[in-house]
Amino acid sequence: MIRKIPKTYDPHKAEGLWYPRWEKSGMFHGDPNSDKKPFSIVIPPPNVTDILHLGHALNNTLQDILIRWKRLMDFEVEWMPGVDHAGIATQVVVEKNLTKEGKSRQELGREKFLKKVWDWKEEKFDVILNQLKRIGCSCDWERKRFTMDEGLSRAVKEVFIRLYEKGLIYRGNRLINWCPRCLTTLSDDELEREDIDSHLWYIKYKIKGSDRYLTVATTRPETMLGDTGVAVNPKDKRYKDLVGKSAILPILDRELPIIADNYVDMEFGTGAVKVTPAHDPNDFEIGDRHNLEKLNILNDDGTLNKNAGDFSGMDRFTARKKLIEELKEHGYLDKIEDHKLAVATCYRCETVVEPYLSIQWFVKMEPLAKPAIEALKSGELKFHPAHWSKTYLYWMENIRDWCISRQLWWGHRIPAYHCKGCGEIMVARDAPRECTKCKSSKIEQDPDVLDTWFSSWLWPFSTFGWPEDSPELMKFFPTKALFTASDIIYLWVARMIMASYEFTGKLPFNDVYIHGTVRDENGEKMSKSKGNGIDPIDIIDKFGADALRVSMILATPEGQDPLINEKSFEIGRNFANKIWNAARFVVTNMNGYDYRLSMDTDPEELELPDIWILSRLAKSIGQVNNYLSGYRFNTAAKTAYDFIWKDYCDWYLEMIKPRLAKNQAEDVKNKARLVSGYVLVQILRLLHPFMPYVTEEVYHILPEVGEDEFLNNLGWPKPPLKYINDNIEKDFEVIQIVIGAIRNIRSEMDVPPGKKADVIIKTSDKKIAIILENQKNQLITLGKIEDLTIGADVKKPPLSASSVIPVGEIYIPLEGLIDLESERARLEKELQKQRQYLERIKKKLANTDFLNRAPSEVIEAEKDKKVLAEESIGRLNKNLESLAGW
């Protein structure tokens, strides 16, 4: 069947045509009853709060490459998609929308507010999943999950109760991170940290019964209102006589014990510190060691409470200013110094977070961490790149209890019930009708919800039906790999491992692939607030999904952050067009020849370029396979890219064009057709995981391919091992070097493209001479040669451009080929331009201000420019020397 092949590739037509067909065919759906070996991964669920960004596009492209590769290898593949309810993040977004309407969640009440959030979820859920489809993600859409769907909610409740019954969940009055804007606790990992310009205030505390003062330094003077002690180091001789005495708190006149504690840094400030156990984590520990009172001076909204005396009701920062004024007025403020202060802010609303004493629910993590640590040490768990295992191990060996309660409305409600009669707390799967202790019917469920990560840490097994032993759980759990970013190694990765061991006894995945953070061309992390973000859907609309996918993979070396701008995606677009044009050439010249003929031709019957391309194909398939097995996606993509673009398109197809000419015999044409067609089909199979649309579209322009046939059915290509021939590859490399040198001379001397040149090759190596003589026709065609001379004793003609290559020398006479006078003027002008350019680069690299402020990537780029400019100047001087005798 002869098909009309469009001149240009239309990515949007291909995307609109093939994705629905793939989905309808059922190829994305994993069958738990299959006899095939399973391969499964679960998607890191994107938050339901917003549209996807380039980081999501990179993460999901990596997963899709792995999934499509394994599907081609005939595994029973399951890629479970889903979305996270993202507790605080979603609640903040919905509350902001209410604020625009002049409303608040408190005015609405819990039930109506939650209805609003569920409406938001319904609106965004399908938008996010459709964006994943636009990227080309081949997820099992029949099994999409949500962290608050019925099944996952049941799993969350079951886990809470089991941990509680085991004594691993407890309720305690502990110091936590508190956001006065969101009115909820935050884990350490939910904080954004930055250094700001602030001050160190030196405040004088009077020693009781003495005229002496003890000066302490603090970065948060308002918290002194909650001081319950003053501490010095026991080794500090300056204050040894004061230990055991009392100091008087300025303004409030409260008596404070002076204690000795090894935590105190004798070099910081004056070596004496105020101790505020209710508002500083280190002071909390000191307070525990010395039985100091924990006095809370804050309300939950960041205002000061009655314990702050006359400052009660003031905002914390207003109180700071007022307190400093009073300290000055009463002579208690000794001095103020400039100081860099590390401030923690809420990752959602950017409000400065307060250490806050509060009754919360916690999980004891140390017992859960032990098998998760052993999994890494035994080698069962692997990180890619391997250095991230150190980060994982650091967190796990220094693990602290996890505060899991959040003062929010959106999330999984804690399954604990409080008796209003006697205060008894009951943890139960279903709401009790009466108190188990006093039989009162006045029972209220705990108002708090669980940390978002409490549902996420169950994701690898809860999504497959746990706690039931479902067919999906039996077939597809444990999964094989996890793809994520480095910032949630502890928040999510480690917790999933701990939960899986605790509730299934199994490691949830063996491989963790940590990809880089997407940055702009200046090395800045992409974000909405900076205005440097790129919407992946905009890229798909402009360049196509395949361009987005392969460009990002090629731009992301293993273990490094990719630097991306919009031009980056031209690489993928151009690659797709290159494949399309190559396929048009091959298919147009098939003339009905069956592309599906197997490659069993005896190598002796093939020409050197045929054996060379088949040898390169066999090696490339093996290399890509090995690289994907080792999670080296960038190297795998680059290997495929180089083979297709350089070896197949730029060299092989150009070399077979003379063999496909009308005057050639049919058997000559058919060998070229056979090899070019066979290699093309293997290329489509090899590249399909990376660029599924263009490969499927090209496959269907081949003769005899039916509409319901898919590349996926062909499977992963098998390398034609019998054609691997290192000697042939070395011989062919000689041809490439010679043609490359000829092309470079023509380009540098500005030889018009349509003009053929005489070429003289001097070589004393007889084997090389034979290779070149045997491929003389190829050299003449590809090198645009008029007359070719090869010999050991040839002389360099006058006014010739030359090139020294590993196998000899090449001379091209220039007289009559170019206008020598014009060429000399052009070269001198270009030389002057390059010298000026080099001078500008040198000045920049000598500028200490630039070197101190510019990112390392930018500095390295300038150094690379310097090297290239110097090389260019060297070539220009050499070319001018070629014209010296004229």
Side-chain angles (χ1 to χ4, degrees):
M1 180 173 64
I2 304 298
R3 291 186 170 127
K4 185 178 179 181
I5 306 171
K7 285 186 177 181
T8 56
Y9 171 59
D10 183 348
H12 304 112
K13 173 182 169 291
E15 291 159 20
L17 175 65
W18 294 115
Y19 199 94
R21 290 190 183 180
W22 292 332
E23 194 173 1
K24 186 180 178 181
S25 75
M27 71 168 68
F28 298 167
H29 184 62
D31 180 3
N33 300 313
S34 167
D35 293 330
K36 294 179 182 179
K37 188 176 180 179
F39 185 91
S40 58
I41 58 177
V42 288
I43 201 170
N47 290 349
V48 75
T49 49
D50 211 344
I51 60 174
L52 303 184
H53 52 65
L54 272 187
H56 292 113
L58 173 61
N59 179 280
N60 287 286
T61 295
L62 289 164
Q63 293 176 80
D64 194 55
I65 289 169
L66 189 69
I67 282 295
R68 287 182 183 270
W69 174 52
K70 290 295 183 180
R71 203 178 279 129
L72 284 164
M73 295 183 77
D74 205 32
F75 282 78
E76 190 59 42
V77 169
E78 173 61 30
W79 185 13
M80 177 79 74
V83 175
D84 196 295
H85 70 279
I88 186 172
T90 304
Q91 179 159 317
V92 166
V93 170
V94 176
E95 282 196 73
K96 284 181 178 178
N97 289 342
L98 283 175
T99 301
K100 292 175 185 176
E101 299 171 12
K103 301 175 185 176
S104 70
R105 68 179 167 102
Q106 288 78 11
E107 290 170 0
L108 282 182
R110 188 165 193 150
E111 188 175 335
K112 288 183 178 178
F113 176 75
L114 288 177
K115 172 68 168 57
K116 285 269 188 187
V117 186
W118 276 106
D119 289 345
W120 169 272
K121 175 261 171 186
E122 292 303 321
E123 176 189 338
K124 295 295 181 182
F125 188 84
D126 287 336
V127 171
I128 291 170
L129 297 187
N130 285 331
Q131 287 176 321
L132 291 170
K133 290 180 180 181
R134 289 288 308 276
I135 293 167
C137 297
S138 55
C139 301
D140 185 351
W141 301 113
E142 297 177 43
R143 290 197 175 99
K144 54 183 182 256
R145 303 305 301 264
F146 179 57
T147 50
M148 283 180 65
D149 66 28
E150 186 178 346
L152 269 64
S153 294
R154 182 190 168 202
V156 166
K157 185 182 289 186
E158 185 66 27
V159 163
F160 185 96
I161 291 167
R162 290 191 191 185
L163 290 175
Y164 181 80
E165 290 173 347
K166 200 172 178 178
L168 293 177
I169 283 184
Y170 65 94
R171 198 164 180 257
N173 192 27
R174 299 279 298 276
L175 204 64
I176 48 87
N177 302 305
W178 182 262
C179 175
R181 157 64 183 79
C182 299
L183 300 179
T184 186
T185 58
L186 297 168
S187 70
D188 288 345
D189 310 288
E190 293 172 309
L191 306 179
E192 297 289 343
R193 301 179 190 277
E194 62 175 322
D195 290 334
I196 64 169
D197 292 325
S198 185
H199 300 96
L200 200 57
W201 287 269
Y202 288 77
I203 303 168
K204 298 190 295 184
Y205 288 48
K206 193 174 190 300
I207 305 301
K208 183 182 178 183
S210 166
D211 293 332
R212 188 176 170 188
Y213 286 86
L214 181 60
T215 301
V216 303
T218 179
T219 57
R220 297 159 64 218
E222 71 279 4
T223 62
M224 66 176 284
L225 301 171
D227 285 358
T228 56
V230 177
V232 298
N233 193 293
K235 297 177 182 177
D236 197 331
K237 295 178 182 178
R238 293 173 295 176
Y239 306 119
K240 196 170 185 179
D241 64 316
L242 296 180
V243 176
K245 296 183 179 180
S246 297
I248 304 301
L249 179 66
I251 308 301
L252 295 186
D253 293 331
R254 190 163 59 240
E255 191 173 325
L256 308 174
I258 301 173
I259 59 174
D261 194 279
N262 286 318
Y263 168 76
V264 179
D265 181 359
M266 291 187 287
E267 303 299 321
F268 178 78
T270 63
V273 296
K274 55 192 274 319
V275 183
T276 319
H279 297 286
D280 183 274
N282 297 311
D283 290 7
F284 182 89
E285 301 294 335
I286 294 174
D288 271 356
R289 288 194 289 271
H290 298 275
N291 298 312
L292 298 180
E293 181 185 1
K294 296 177 176 67
L295 187 66
N296 179 22
I297 62 164
L298 288 175
N299 295 313
D300 60 8
D301 62 355
T303 58
L304 274 60
N305 63 25
K306 62 181 181 179
N307 292 328
D310 292 342
F311 300 93
S312 175
M314 291 184 189
D315 172 78
R316 53 188 165 153
F317 297 119
T318 303
R320 175 182 293 181
K321 292 177 182 177
K322 179 68 175 171
L323 177 60
I324 290 168
E325 288 175 6
E326 290 203 20
L327 290 169
K328 282 182 182 177
E329 186 180 330
H330 291 88
Y332 292 121
L333 188 63
D334 184 41
K335 62 178 178 177
I336 303 172
E337 290 181 348
D338 291 338
H339 181 73
K340 280 284 185 184
L341 179 64
V343 171
T345 58
C346 174
Y347 79 114
R348 279 296 160 187
C349 69
E350 299 180 355
T351 301
V352 175
V353 168
E354 285 289 340
Y356 189 69
L357 196 63
S358 177
I359 296 175
Q360 302 290 338
W361 292 90
F362 296 86
V363 179
K364 293 179 183 177
M365 299 303 287
E366 191 174 351
L368 300 176
K370 290 177 181 177
I373 292 171
E374 182 55 33
L376 182 73
K377 290 184 175 179
S378 69
E380 191 179 0
L381 173 67
K382 292 183 175 67
F383 280 82
H384 307 271
H387 66 81
W388 288 112
S389 61
K390 295 178 183 177
T391 301
Y392 170 85
L393 200 59
Y394 173 81
W395 278 106
M396 299 302 282
E397 291 181 339
N398 295 276
I399 201 163
R400 293 189 292 178
D401 288 356
W402 176 15
C403 178
I404 55 171
S405 46
R406 297 291 183 271
Q407 289 62 53
L408 303 170
W409 288 353
W410 175 243
H412 295 278
R413 192 94 173 255
I414 292 176
Y417 301 86
H418 300 258
C419 174
K420 304 302 288 183
C422 69
E424 179 74 0
I425 297 176
M426 296 155 281
V427 171
R429 289 171 179 81
D430 301 305
R433 294 184 177 180
E434 61 179 28
C435 175
T436 55
K437 187 175 182 180
C438 72
K439 305 304 179 185
S440 170
S441 60
K442 294 181 179 179
I443 296 169
E444 290 182 1
Q445 186 173 358
D446 195 303
D448 291 351
V449 299
L450 290 162
D451 179 10
T452 294
W453 299 103
F454 197 88
S455 52
S456 301
W457 78 325
L458 315 179
W459 188 252
F461 53 93
S462 63
T463 49
F464 288 117
W466 186 93
E468 301 297 329
D469 288 334
S470 66
E472 290 80 7
L473 187 69
M474 296 299 99
K475 180 73 174 180
F476 297 118
F477 182 82
T479 62
K480 302 304 177 187
L482 178 79
F483 292 73
T484 189
S486 61
D487 55 349
I488 53 174
I489 287 176
Y490 176 69
L491 269 176
W492 192 44
V493 179
R495 286 172 179 167
M496 282 191 288
I497 294 168
M498 288 186 277
S500 290
Y501 271 125
E502 176 66 20
F503 300 106
T504 73
K506 298 174 182 177
L507 183 66
F509 33 73
N510 296 102
D511 295 293
V512 179
Y513 182 85
I514 305 295
H515 59 74
T517 299
V518 180
R519 300 182 182 277
D520 66 17
E521 58 193 322
N522 298 313
E524 293 287 330
K525 184 177 178 179
M526 285 190 177
S527 70
K528 278 186 181 178
S529 59
K530 292 178 182 175
N532 64 348
I534 296 175
D535 186 339
I537 302 304
D538 289 344
I539 298 301
I540 293 171
D541 289 341
K542 185 170 184 178
F543 298 108
D546 284 339
L548 170 80
R549 291 165 63 103
V550 80
S551 298
M552 292 208 70
I553 301 304
L554 288 170
T556 310
E558 286 85 13
Q560 297 181 36
D561 295 342
L563 304 183
I564 300 283
N565 60 26
E566 193 170 293
K567 281 185 69 66
S568 303
F569 300 99
E570 293 178 6
I571 296 170
R573 178 201 61 193
N574 295 343
F575 191 31
N577 290 337
K578 187 84 169 179
I579 294 163
W580 182 260
N581 292 333
R584 282 188 75 249
F585 169 76
V586 173
V587 174
T588 302
N589 282 283
M590 278 182 179
N591 195 28
Y593 195 75
D594 191 348
Y595 76 96
R596 289 177 292 191
L597 285 175
S598 60
M599 265 315 304
D600 55 6
T601 306
D602 192 315
E604 297 295 326
E605 298 177 24
L606 298 173
E607 297 194 22
L608 181 143
D610 300 330
I611 302 171
W612 172 77
I613 196 64
L614 291 169
S615 182
R616 293 293 305 122
L617 172 68
K619 288 183 179 179
S620 296
I621 292 172
Q623 288 166 350
V624 172
N625 198 66
N626 289 338
Y627 292 140
L628 289 177
S629 296
Y631 297 90
R632 296 179 63 187
F633 295 94
N634 171 267
T635 312
K638 194 171 187 312
T639 299
Y641 179 93
D642 287 345
F643 170 72
I644 295 163
W645 190 296
K646 297 177 183 177
D647 295 349
Y648 184 68
C649 296
D650 284 358
W651 286 101
Y652 182 71
L653 293 186
E654 290 300 317
M655 294 188 86
I656 66 169
K657 284 179 179 178
R659 293 161 61 189
L660 293 170
K662 290 181 180 180
N663 61 349
Q664 290 286 1
E666 278 303 303
D667 65 326
V668 173
K669 291 181 184 178
N670 284 344
K671 283 179 185 175
R673 288 167 178 161
L674 170 64
V675 176
S676 63
Y678 169 79
V679 175
L680 175 63
V681 174
Q682 310 321 304
I683 281 172
L684 299 180
R685 297 161 76 181
L686 182 73
L687 196 61
H688 188 60
F690 302 90
M691 302 177 77
Y693 291 113
V694 68
T695 50
E696 193 75 77
E697 184 76 356
V698 168
Y699 181 56
H700 284 80
I701 67 172
L702 298 176
E704 310 305 328
V705 176
E707 287 189 0
D708 294 330
E709 293 182 53
F710 299 110
L711 261 177
N712 186 68
N713 304 128
L714 288 185
W716 184 247
K718 292 181 173 60
L721 299 177
K722 74 175 183 178
Y723 295 104
I724 291 179
N725 191 318
D726 291 339
N727 291 329
I728 290 290
E729 289 193 37
K730 287 177 183 176
D731 291 350
F732 196 84
E733 187 179 356
V734 173
I735 299 166
Q736 289 179 304
I737 290 170
V738 169
I739 293 174
I742 293 169
R743 288 174 174 173
N744 284 340
I745 292 172
R746 291 181 63 96
S747 173
E748 289 175 7
M749 301 309 297
D750 209 23
V751 176
K755 270 195 173 183
K756 290 186 177 183
D758 291 343
V759 174
I760 300 157
I761 303 174
K762 181 179 182 178
T763 179
S764 56
D765 189 320
K766 291 181 180 179
K767 185 183 175 184
I768 297 297
I770 292 170
I771 294 169
L772 296 176
E773 286 290 350
N774 289 341
Q775 299 301 318
K776 203 167 187 178
N777 290 338
Q778 300 285 5
L779 293 172
I780 288 170
T781 301
L782 296 178
K784 297 181 179 178
I785 298 172
E786 182 69 41
D787 182 62
L788 176 60
T789 304
I790 303 167
D793 301 320
V794 294
K795 303 294 183 184
K796 179 182 178 181
L799 296 176
S800 291
S802 64
S803 176
V804 178
I805 57 176
V807 297
E809 293 182 57
I810 295 174
Y811 311 127
I812 298 181
L814 298 175
E815 194 167 8
L817 190 63
I818 60 173
D819 183 329
L820 296 173
E821 187 175 356
S822 298
E823 180 59 15
R824 183 196 297 277
R826 185 189 72 82
L827 290 172
E828 288 175 342
K829 183 177 179 181
E830 182 62 24
L831 181 62
Q832 181 65 20
K833 180 180 172 183
Q834 286 296 320
R835 282 172 174 163
Q836 290 171 350
Y837 175 61
L838 178 61
E839 196 58 36
R840 290 198 299 271
I841 296 170
K842 284 181 175 179
K843 283 182 180 177
K844 185 179 280 191
L845 290 172
N847 186 328
T848 53
D849 189 47
F850 168 74
L851 295 174
N852 290 333
R853 294 176 60 183
S856 59
E857 298 91 345
V858 175
I859 295 170
E860 287 303 314
E862 290 300 315
K863 288 180 179 178
D864 290 342
K865 289 178 186 176
K866 178 176 176 287
V867 171
L868 291 173
E870 288 169 341
E871 290 175 351
S872 178
I873 288 169
R875 287 195 301 272
L876 290 166
N877 278 323
K878 181 184 174 184
N879 292 337
L880 278 167
E881 286 172 12
S882 299
L883 305 180
W886 183 75

